[in-house]
Amino acid sequence: HYVMVQLPEGLQRRTISLVRDFAEALASKLRKAELKYDFSDSWKLDDWEQKCKQDLYLHLEKGDPIDVAAYCAFMWFHDWDTKKIEGN
């Protein structure tokens, strides 16, 4: 499937490739997680901000930028900041 997105006019060709390639890698990673863990769109729920932040920082420590990006995307969707919650 191809998703059409509106990119800013004048964006450099290599930057466009970076964005496209990263989006493809992120989509692939999310699909694998859906299949492995039987996830659907539960990321849309509003009741897991603390868990999302904990998982973000866990994945930062693990070192996979695609996993980090997935949690950042979830947080972006909810308009949650990425600040650590006190005590975590």
Side-chain angles (χ1 to χ4, degrees):
H1 294 99
Y2 288 96
V3 177
M4 299 297 293
V5 297
Q6 185 66 39
L7 298 174
E9 189 170 328
L11 188 62
Q12 295 296 314
R13 181 178 50 84
R14 288 185 178 159
T15 305
I16 292 170
S17 292
L18 171 71
V19 170
R20 183 197 62 231
D21 294 349
F22 191 82
E24 288 175 1
L26 177 58
S28 177
K29 186 81 166 202
L30 290 171
R31 181 60 181 144
K32 288 176 185 174
E34 288 176 345
L35 295 171
K36 183 176 180 178
Y37 301 107
D38 197 30
F39 289 158
S40 60
D41 61 354
S42 58
W43 54 266
K44 290 173 60 176
L45 299 174
D46 291 325
D47 63 351
W48 70 294
E49 181 177 2
Q50 183 170 347
K51 173 80 168 108
C52 186
K53 288 183 180 191
Q54 289 171 341
D55 288 347
L56 168 67
Y57 282 93
L58 172 72
H59 286 287
L60 278 167
E61 290 295 318
K62 285 183 172 182
D64 184 342
I66 299 296
D67 286 336
V68 171
Y71 285 95
C72 287
F74 302 149
M75 296 173 84
W76 173 82
F77 174 82
H78 288 283
D79 198 28
W80 296 335
D81 64 51
T82 58
K83 296 175 190 167
K84 281 189 174 182
I85 295 175
E86 291 296 320
N88 290 326

